[in-house]
Amino acid sequence: MEVLALVYRNLRARPVRSILTLLGIVVSTASMVLFMSFGEGLRKALGVELSNVGPAILVVPEGAEAFSAGYPELRPEIVQQVQSVAPGLGVTRVIPSTVFVRGGFDPASSFFFQGLPQGVTARDLYPNASLASGVLSPGPQGAVVGGSIAERNNLGLGKSLRLSPLVTLEVVGVLGRTGGMADNFIFVPLEAIQTVLGTQNYSSILLSIDPGRKADEVAQALETRISGVDAQTAGDVMRFAERAVRISDLVRFGISLVALIVGGLLVANTVMMSVYERIREFGLMRALGAKRNFIFGLVLLEALLLGIVGGLLGLLVGQAASGLVNWYTGQEVGVALSAVTLRLASFALLVAVVLGLLAGFLPARTASRIKVVEALGRV
């Protein structure tokens, strides 16, 4: 307790410098927490979304990414081949689909259209989808709009959607907001998307299977029997997404590392200046019998305390910033893209502690090696 009292007295003796240093650590830690929270949020959101998807297998062109919005490449013959082998593999439903994207990077001006065959509704793809108004099936000339995109663009029943000079659809249904992917899609007739794109091909084929069948085994059998396709399960999508998120995590951590280094230099500067100002004090401690290790630990504890307090405050600030991000993305796209998990919080605090230790090591080493005679002779 006496040692902590000494540390607290020294930090309090120079309040402006200590507070500015603490703010530097808070900002650097909070920025790291916020950057890294995007990766945690994406993992969480994707896991929840995949658990709410009805079809167990997604068939895409060979080499394509899951849920790719590229030009349709699956020919009608591929759909026929899948339908022919489906009964023997335990496939209960085959749903060909085509995705069409219009707009830019701004979510408020982007429109995601998913073409569905006659008789298929959004609830067949997303069992949690709920109907707010109108009908659930788009029909031959209609469109069913997700809750978020309907709210952002004021798309109510009877509104017209002009996909191209040849295709204009009428909003016949609006889904309730569920916080999932369905909120941001407009479900339209499959033929309408194919007319807009000038093709009879499909973007993907969604397959439902018997509950007793294993999705991995069915997917592998499909790839063996049908060439030119990749059959992906929810586990495959999660593994691919995890690799992508890990790469983005490294990029975000590299960016936040700059802020961490600045915070570390601030701590080192504060502690080093404190050491030079207290040389006589350290010399007196040594003359009264204090060991080198005691002086070393005292100075290192000051840096460590700054790191811990700054890390805790930075974690709170990062959590608050994450909440603001989720509020904004919830309003714009209906999905929470940030999450401060226990793993991330623990990592942030560990980084703050290591930051304090590294920043305080050199000043502590300098203080412990001060010669008693020279220190007492300082004015």
Side-chain angles (χ1 to χ4, degrees):
M1 294 299 296
E2 294 181 0
V3 175
L4 291 176
L6 286 173
V7 171
Y8 175 73
R9 185 197 66 183
N10 177 59
L11 294 176
R12 188 178 178 183
R14 302 160 184 83
V16 176
R17 183 194 302 167
S18 299
I19 291 176
L20 291 176
T21 302
L22 194 63
L23 287 176
I25 301 175
V26 169
V27 171
S28 59
T29 305
S31 64
M32 182 194 68
V33 170
L34 182 59
F35 281 142
M36 301 300 289
S37 71
F38 291 129
E40 297 296 316
L42 287 173
R43 290 185 180 93
K44 185 177 178 180
L46 185 59
V48 171
E49 190 59 41
L50 289 177
S51 67
N52 293 331
V53 173
I57 299 175
L58 180 71
V59 179
V60 296
E62 190 172 18
E65 299 177 2
F67 305 110
S68 173
Y71 188 80
E73 298 180 9
L74 291 176
R75 303 183 309 278
E77 305 89 78
I78 298 293
V79 177
Q80 294 173 5
Q81 293 179 39
V82 172
Q83 291 173 337
S84 65
V85 301
L89 298 178
V91 176
T92 58
R93 196 166 190 184
V94 178
I95 305 175
S97 175
T98 300
V99 176
F100 172 58
V101 179
R102 170 170 289 174
F105 292 103
D106 184 6
S109 62
S110 298
F111 296 87
F112 300 86
F113 297 92
Q114 183 162 15
L116 301 179
Q118 291 297 318
V120 177
T121 68
R123 192 171 289 167
D124 294 317
L125 274 58
Y126 306 97
N128 290 340
S130 61
L131 184 64
S133 60
V135 296
L136 195 59
S137 175
Q141 295 295 326
V144 178
V145 186
S148 295
I149 198 168
E151 183 178 328
R152 288 198 306 269
N153 298 278
N154 193 27
L155 295 176
L157 297 179
K159 291 281 187 176
S160 296
L161 294 174
R162 191 167 185 265
L163 276 65
S164 74
L166 299 177
V167 179
T168 300
L169 304 175
E170 179 183 344
V171 177
V172 296
V174 177
L175 301 178
R177 295 188 62 171
T178 60
M181 288 179 61
D183 290 350
N184 300 286
F185 273 95
I186 300 176
F187 300 94
V188 300
L190 178 60
E191 294 77 10
I193 300 295
Q194 291 176 328
T195 301
V196 172
L197 298 177
T199 181
Q200 293 299 311
N201 295 344
Y202 306 95
S203 300
S204 60
I205 307 171
L206 298 99
L207 307 179
S208 299
I209 62 176
D210 288 328
R213 295 276 187 165
K214 293 183 178 180
D216 291 337
E217 295 178 356
V218 176
Q220 186 176 2
L222 275 171
E223 292 179 350
T224 301
R225 300 188 185 189
I226 303 175
S227 61
V229 300
D230 284 338
Q232 302 176 0
T233 64
D236 295 329
V237 176
M238 279 299 298
R239 283 189 288 271
F240 173 82
E242 180 64 25
R243 289 194 297 269
V245 172
R246 283 183 180 179
I247 294 174
S248 66
D249 282 344
L250 292 175
V251 175
R252 288 192 299 272
F253 182 72
I255 296 173
S256 61
L257 188 61
V258 177
L260 292 173
I261 292 174
V262 173
L265 292 176
L266 286 173
V267 177
N269 177 70
T270 297
V271 179
M272 184 63 80
M273 291 299 296
S274 174
V275 167
Y276 286 135
E277 293 174 359
R278 299 162 60 198
I279 287 181
R280 282 180 59 84
E281 179 184 339
F282 293 139
L284 182 60
M285 287 182 180
R286 290 292 311 282
L288 293 176
K291 302 295 184 182
R292 290 180 182 270
N293 291 339
F294 176 81
I295 303 296
F296 181 88
L298 181 65
V299 177
L300 191 64
L301 188 58
E302 292 181 9
L304 182 60
L305 186 61
L306 286 172
I308 293 175
V309 175
L312 289 172
L313 293 176
L315 181 59
L316 293 177
V317 173
Q319 176 72 60
S322 174
L324 289 176
V325 169
N326 286 338
W327 174 82
Y328 175 76
T329 58
Q331 294 292 321
E332 294 296 325
V333 296
V335 179
L337 295 181
S338 176
V340 180
T341 61
L342 179 61
R343 177 176 65 174
L344 176 56
S346 302
F347 178 72
L349 291 178
L350 177 63
V351 170
V353 170
V354 173
L355 184 67
L357 290 174
L358 292 178
F361 179 79
L362 183 59
R365 183 172 178 269
T366 302
S368 65
R369 294 193 174 190
I370 294 175
K371 296 181 179 180
V372 177
V373 176
E374 293 181 2
L376 294 177
R378 292 288 185 93
V379 177

